[in-house]
Amino acid sequence: MTQSDFVVVANRLPVDWVADDAGGGAWRTSPGGLVTALDPVMRQAKGAWVGWVGQPELELDPFDFEGVHLIPVRLSADDVENYYEGFSNDTIWPLYHDVISPPRYRRVWWESYVAVNERFAQAAAAAAAPGGTVWVQDYQLQLVPKLLREARPDLTIGYFHHIPFPAYGLYSQLPWRRQVLEGLLGADVIGFQRVADAGNFARAVRRQLRFETKASGIRVPQEDGSVRIALAKAFPISIDAATYVEMAERPDIRARAAEIRESLGNPKRILLGVDRLDYTKGIRHRLKAFGELIQDQRLSVEDVTLVQVASPSRERVQAYIELRDEIELTVTRINGDHDTLGHSAIRYLHQGFPREEMVALYLAADVMLVTALRDGMNLVAKEYVASRADNRGVLVLSEFAGAIDELGSALRVNPHDIGALKDTIMRAIEMPKAEQGRRMRALRKKVIENDVARWSSSFLEALDAVGRAGR
Ligand code: GDG
């Protein structure tokens, strides 16, 4: 079996199986920043990627695709129910997003999480060459760093956490809080989105495990009496900004943006929300504020339309089923009360769209509403900014999204404060062009300078420094 010097381990492989009409099909790279960011590193290092293909019960041999060695991990239907939908998405996800929805603690889910993490760790241990580097991604695989270190002490191990790490008072609810911290501390570098996330993690380690921390370093005692230093630091993720800039300049995409405006009846202002349909994204708060502005007659449906793309997500998890019902009831009520025959208050789309269409929507939108109640980073905010090469448009950004740390020139809002949210939406709608330009230029500078390539290279440099120190 071939081994690689660089291995990525993520819940999902970076490919989707696209079936054709003739009963066959083909693999296609799944669109996403992580794949793009790692592509050059993967090709150069002849890297391997360990992950699930996204379909239960499918047993596949490793295969090469576009220069990357893909190593599928099989998940049974029970694994999907307990490890993925259960522990990952109904325990960790709500707990780490400040219990916006109550987390459910079920022992059978935890047992499955342990078993599946062991399977991923074994696959990674087999795939990595002696002295190689392994980069583990995200909250589904928090136990992998420790398991991997036990199996392969020769490896340099990184872990990146894409979602928030909660304050200790919340984290300490987790019945398996010690095991998860120990799992993560198996890594040499543990990356977070925000400085505050890294701080919450270090505090949990001090309180639960009594390990000492100093600046970003955590002193992890080893069995032989020595001490290993694990680094817990912020590496804010970003997007492939150049691709968005390019797409925003394409004549076909610009024409499509004009067509979108036309099809909405050329309103004076278009507001846009783009989110996975998730309770963390604050879609209900956004709809409430917008509905009240129309009700109060501060806005008219003749002049302003809200386009809300809510892409389908985790549709078998109960909290998501209930959220969808609630949002769709709210949209229907607002539209029913206020639509005219020619104009709709809200254009709601429970669909996924190609990336070109997303950029056309960004270009068509005068105001982008990112009202997350808690979000690791929020890439949609950065995509909107990168797309606005015309230096027009206003970003309304929640202070609970990681992106606010870099995007201070956005209109900052606390989405729980509906009164403030309404006023901020009005301010965005009425903002003079000169102020739009000033703010957008500052935002674009940040996003273009700190793109996803810089994110991955700064993480890998930190990891490499630790690896070299240990050799
Ligand atoms: C997690 C963290 C963190 C959405 N709908 C469509 C579509 N999208 C794309 C967006 C964006 C991505 O999906 C969503 O990224 P976000 O960052 O906004 O949010 P999560 O999915 O919750 O991601 C988050 C991120 O990981 C990275 O670390 O920022 O905080 O929760 O790229 O454009 N893309 C297309 N059609 C859609 O309908 N093509």
Side-chain angles (χ1 to χ4, degrees):
M1 173 181 170
T2 51
Q3 290 190 320
S4 304
D5 290 325
F6 182 64
V7 179
V8 170
V9 192
N11 175 59
R12 282 284 270 115
L13 281 174
V15 290
D16 297 312
W17 179 254
V18 188
D20 63 22
D21 295 340
W27 292 107
R28 192 188 54 192
T29 308
S30 25
L34 192 60
V35 192
T36 326
L38 296 178
D39 194 54
V41 193
M42 287 303 242
R43 283 169 193 271
Q44 204 190 351
K46 293 209 173 50
W49 190 307
V50 175
W52 174 45
V53 286
Q55 294 173 38
E57 308 285 354
L58 200 59
E59 184 101 53
L60 287 175
D61 287 330
F63 60 102
D64 288 333
F65 184 75
E66 296 187 350
V68 180
H69 189 56
L70 301 180
I71 303 170
V73 173
R74 178 179 180 273
L75 293 189
S76 68
D78 280 351
D79 295 332
V80 174
E81 191 180 326
N82 297 312
Y83 145 80
Y84 182 66
E85 293 170 343
F87 198 78
S88 298
N89 289 332
D90 217 0
T91 303
I92 294 292
W93 180 271
L95 177 65
Y96 284 24
H97 287 89
D98 291 358
V99 304
I100 296 166
S101 169
R104 295 168 66 202
Y105 304 113
R106 296 195 51 196
R107 284 162 289 177
V108 282
W109 290 355
W110 165 253
E111 283 156 20
S112 170
Y113 187 78
V114 173
V116 172
N117 270 248
E118 278 167 357
R119 206 177 305 152
F120 274 85
Q122 278 160 14
T133 297
V134 178
W135 193 1
V136 183
Q137 304 289 331
D138 225 359
Y139 66 99
Q140 301 91 351
L141 302 176
Q142 293 173 102
L143 309 179
V144 170
K146 175 172 190 249
L147 295 165
L148 192 55
R149 181 170 293 278
E150 284 166 357
R152 291 288 306 274
D154 59 305
L155 300 174
T156 303
I157 303 168
Y159 169 90
F160 187 76
H161 193 75
H162 291 255
I163 67 173
F165 196 91
Y168 181 67
L170 293 174
Y171 181 75
S172 56
Q173 287 185 8
L174 185 66
W176 308 279
R177 57 198 182 184
R178 284 178 70 90
Q179 290 96 314
V180 168
L181 294 175
E182 285 165 357
L184 292 168
L185 285 170
D188 295 293
V189 178
I190 307 150
F192 295 93
Q193 302 279 24
R194 310 177 81 165
V195 175
D197 297 317
N200 287 343
F201 175 72
R203 174 139 195 266
V205 168
R206 285 195 300 272
R207 295 291 298 265
Q208 273 304 316
L209 305 178
R210 304 276 160 208
F211 294 173
E212 286 173 25
T213 66
K214 192 173 170 194
S216 319
I218 297 174
R219 295 170 61 84
V220 186
Q222 304 296 287
E223 272 176 10
D224 64 4
S226 66
V227 169
R228 185 171 62 80
I229 307 287
L231 217 59
K233 260 187 80 172
F235 296 89
I237 201 168
S238 191
I239 57 162
D240 178 18
T243 301
Y244 282 87
V245 175
E246 272 164 38
M247 283 201 288
E249 278 163 3
R250 264 169 53 183
D252 56 329
I253 294 181
R254 300 181 69 85
R256 177 63 192 143
E259 201 176 282
I260 290 171
R261 290 197 77 100
E262 187 76 27
S263 69
L264 294 171
N266 272 318
K268 287 195 187 118
R269 293 284 186 274
I270 294 173
L271 315 185
L272 176 64
V274 172
D275 314 82
R276 275 186 310 98
L277 184 48
D278 195 296
Y279 48 77
T280 60
K281 303 291 181 182
I283 303 171
R284 282 186 301 122
H285 296 62
R286 194 180 307 163
L287 295 176
K288 177 150 187 64
F290 183 68
E292 283 190 16
L293 286 170
I294 297 173
Q295 182 72 40
D296 303 345
Q297 298 184 350
R298 289 169 78 184
L299 291 177
S300 139
V301 295
E302 307 282 324
D303 297 334
V304 180
T305 302
L306 168 62
V307 177
Q308 176 63 54
V309 175
S311 42
S313 184
R314 304 177 191 169
E315 293 187 286
R316 289 171 11 139
V317 178
Q318 190 55 31
Y320 289 75
I321 296 170
E322 287 166 16
L323 176 75
R324 180 173 174 197
D325 285 348
E326 217 181 311
I327 285 176
E328 294 182 355
L329 181 64
T330 307
V331 169
T332 311
R333 282 209 175 132
I334 295 174
N335 281 347
D337 285 346
H338 302 290
D339 279 6
T340 63
L341 286 173
H343 296 272
S344 227
I346 303 166
R347 204 56 79 82
Y348 168 80
L349 302 152
H350 182 252
Q351 299 161 40
F353 292 97
R355 219 148 59 130
E356 286 75 8
E357 184 76 353
M358 304 299 268
V359 175
L361 280 164
Y362 293 149
L363 287 176
D366 303 287
V367 177
M368 181 81 217
L369 296 173
V370 177
T371 56
L373 306 177
R374 184 52 84 192
D375 213 334
M377 176 56 62
N378 195 289
L379 296 180
V380 166
K382 293 189 170 181
E383 290 166 3
Y384 178 68
V385 165
S387 303
R388 298 313 304 234
D390 57 355
N391 291 316
R392 287 278 175 281
V394 184
L395 174 64
V396 172
L397 181 57
S398 163
E399 59 191 68
F400 300 108
I404 197 74
D405 287 353
E406 292 163 277
L407 305 184
S409 299
L411 288 189
R412 180 189 176 102
V413 73
N414 168 7
H416 294 283
D417 183 346
I418 299 295
L421 183 53
K422 287 165 70 179
D423 292 345
T424 310
I425 292 174
M426 288 311 293
R427 195 175 154 205
I429 287 174
E430 289 162 358
M431 188 181 285
K433 286 205 164 59
E435 185 181 348
Q436 291 181 30
R438 241 183 358 258
R439 289 174 179 272
M440 191 52 82
R441 267 188 290 276
L443 294 170
R444 296 191 77 233
K445 191 164 180 291
K446 289 269 187 198
V447 172
I448 290 166
E449 276 173 11
N450 299 311
D451 67 353
V452 74
R454 182 172 266 207
W455 167 77
S456 60
S457 62
S458 63
F459 184 92
L460 292 173
E461 273 162 30
L463 193 55
D464 192 46
V466 176
R468 266 185 284 118
R471 278 198 284 273

